[in-house]
Amino acid sequence: MSISLAQETQNISSGTPSGLSGLEEKLIAYRRELHQHPELSNQEFVTTQKITQWLNAAGIRILSLGLKTGVVAEIGPEQGPVVALRGDIDALPIEEASGVTFSSQQPGVMHACGHDFHTSVILGAAYLLKAREQTLPGRVRLFFQPAEERFGGASQLIKAGALENVDAIFGLHNAPELPVGTFATKGGAFYANVDRFQITVTGKGAHAAHPEEGTDSIVTASHIVTALQTVVSRNVSAQDAAVVSVTRIEGGNTWNVLPQTVELEGTVRTYSSEIREYLPQRIRKVITGVADALGAQAELHWFAGPPAVVNTPRWAEFALQAAAESGYDAQVAQAQMGGEDFAFYLHHVPGAFVSIGSASHFGLHHPQFNPDESAIYPAANYFQQLAEKALVELAGE
């Protein structure tokens, strides 16, 4: 016989094992339901409907913010401090190859970053908090954010007013490289600034048998790729961190013609705002110099992404301590070169972003990525405890 959410929350409040087991099973079922029906950034219409339905069934109030996709909900009394918990809900344009029985039913789309995992965790925290609503000294606001993969969802929620009156915010990402039961975060810069670039190399097309009659854009592009490897190694101090990676080369459409244009694409990752500002200037000088030397032209197109995730030291330490108290192997994390639009929230309110071990043999964005579902309920329990502890801390100030 199935257990209603009302019965579950009552069981959770009384601490009965059946309630905890029932909720854990339900969260895994939710994760699998989302995994089978992934949706790309800003297209999470069905996902939004499902989350809304699950929250409504538990009696959790949903805020009307006029969002196209995504959900913001709230638990607790009107008075007192406000703590926010954020999960993300979008998927990636990747064909799944995990082999699980609940694989994506949407061709070419997969939850290859674990946002279905994150959503289930925050749903679980919501149910646990709802069961203790009468004892909360403030409100917990729950963000089910769209479009993290496109780095636009956080800004959408901020613009809609989701951060209004929020005193502290916490978010998570599963970490496939960490064992289940492991937790990590750090104060200060945690994730990097993320920028994207495109370089258009223009030469003069010619027959491949007569390269002297043209200007070889492929050779020029090849020299540019090599020269870009010196931008960090010879222009950034070894005490600082930066990455320049060329990830795509496209040019030509047949075997015996030198193409007129070649396009390069890649990413730059930094922590320092000064280095972030300097690198596009240096890259532009390098590519134009190389192209000029070889008789071609090179044009740089720069696309600024999210800034670095800079955790508030106070709340990072608070999150670590809460993790240790809830039974995690709590570790101080190493800074990462990945990017996260959670950074935008931290430009407005203090808080911390954390890593939860998910023990997948294949990493994030891999078609065989498969996080360990046993990590979902402990993470939900942790975020419930973290939110309550943070409310108590803030209420006492």
Side-chain angles (χ1 to χ4, degrees):
M1 183 176 66
S2 63
I3 302 174
S4 71
L5 287 176
Q7 289 173 312
E8 283 184 358
T9 53
Q10 184 177 1
N11 288 338
I12 294 164
S13 182
S14 62
T16 62
S18 61
L20 297 178
S21 176
L23 179 58
E24 182 169 11
E25 291 177 1
K26 186 171 287 291
L27 296 181
I28 291 174
Y30 286 170
R31 184 256 162 170
R32 294 185 177 189
E33 173 71 13
L34 294 171
H35 192 85
Q36 284 185 298
H37 304 284
E39 295 175 294
L40 297 174
S41 299
N42 292 318
Q43 300 176 28
E44 312 96 332
F45 298 106
V46 175
T47 302
T48 296
Q49 292 173 359
K50 291 179 186 294
I51 295 169
T52 300
Q53 174 187 344
W54 295 332
L55 292 171
N56 281 333
I60 296 171
R61 65 182 179 272
I62 294 174
L63 303 186
S64 180
L65 298 180
L67 296 170
K68 178 183 174 183
T69 57
V71 183
V72 178
E74 203 167 71
I75 298 168
E78 290 297 324
Q79 68 277 8
V82 180
V83 169
L85 302 179
R86 180 270 213 167
D88 37 17
I89 68 174
D90 55 328
L92 286 158
I94 292 174
E95 186 71 36
E96 181 160 5
S98 68
V100 297
T101 58
F102 50 92
S103 289
S104 170
Q105 297 180 10
Q106 180 67 30
V109 183
M110 177 191 175
H111 270 297
C113 202
H115 293 186
D116 51 343
F117 180 106
H118 304 164
T119 298
S120 297
V121 168
I122 301 303
L123 279 167
Y127 292 160
L128 292 164
L129 287 161
K130 181 64 178 177
R132 298 173 57 80
E133 186 170 25
Q134 300 306 313
T135 67
L136 296 178
R139 285 171 285 165
V140 180
R141 194 168 295 164
L142 308 150
F143 295 3
F144 297 90
Q145 181 205 300
E148 189 281 327
E149 296 293 351
R150 295 287 297 272
F151 297 136
S155 296
Q156 293 174 29
L157 263 62
I158 293 168
K159 185 177 180 180
L163 277 184
E164 184 177 350
N165 298 321
V166 171
D167 297 291
I169 185 168
F170 300 93
L172 81 151
H173 209 293
N174 77 94
E177 71 277 9
L178 296 179
V180 172
T182 305
F183 175 101
T185 192
K186 68 182 294 292
F190 187 15
Y191 281 53
N193 300 301
V194 177
D195 298 309
R196 177 170 68 93
F197 64 83
Q198 289 180 347
I199 299 170
T200 302
V201 179
T202 304
K204 180 183 177 182
H207 194 292
H210 300 284
E212 74 282 0
E213 296 177 359
T215 301
D216 196 330
S217 58
I218 288 181
V219 169
T220 303
S222 300
H223 279 279
I224 285 175
V225 171
T226 301
L228 287 177
Q229 307 313 303
T230 69
V231 169
V232 172
S233 66
R234 291 300 177 265
N235 296 275
V236 176
S237 168
Q239 304 303 314
D240 295 310
V243 171
V244 176
S245 291
V246 177
T247 57
R248 183 176 66 87
I249 303 176
E250 185 173 338
N253 56 19
T254 190
W255 66 278
N256 62 349
V257 176
L258 300 178
Q260 179 167 313
T261 62
V262 172
E263 188 174 88
L264 309 175
E265 188 173 28
T267 186
V268 173
R269 306 297 172 102
T270 55
Y271 294 120
S272 161
S273 58
E274 292 78 12
I275 295 174
R276 186 187 198 189
E277 183 177 352
Y278 165 75
L279 285 184
Q281 302 173 36
R282 183 58 187 162
I283 288 172
R284 185 172 284 106
K285 288 183 179 180
V286 168
I287 69 171
T288 55
V290 170
D292 184 62
L294 297 174
Q297 295 178 321
E299 184 178 5
L300 176 68
H301 307 274
W302 194 263
F303 306 90
V309 174
V310 182
N311 283 341
T312 308
R314 171 198 178 185
W315 289 117
E317 180 59 34
F318 189 90
L320 270 171
Q321 182 63 32
E325 292 171 359
S326 68
Y328 276 109
D329 174 12
Q331 304 175 1
V332 177
Q334 297 293 317
Q336 302 184 25
M337 279 296 177
E340 245 292 343
D341 77 348
F342 188 84
F344 291 112
Y345 298 123
L346 295 176
H347 277 215
H348 295 270
V349 298
F353 195 67
V354 308
S355 295
I356 302 288
S358 61
S360 171
H361 182 68
F362 297 94
L364 302 175
H365 295 209
H366 192 283
Q368 291 177 267
F369 171 70
N370 184 25
D372 190 327
E373 294 176 325
S374 69
I376 293 175
Y377 178 76
N381 187 60
Y382 165 73
F383 275 98
Q384 172 255 317
Q385 294 182 37
L386 175 65
E388 284 199 54
K389 291 174 187 290
L391 286 176
V392 171
E393 176 86 1
L394 289 163
E397 292 181 347

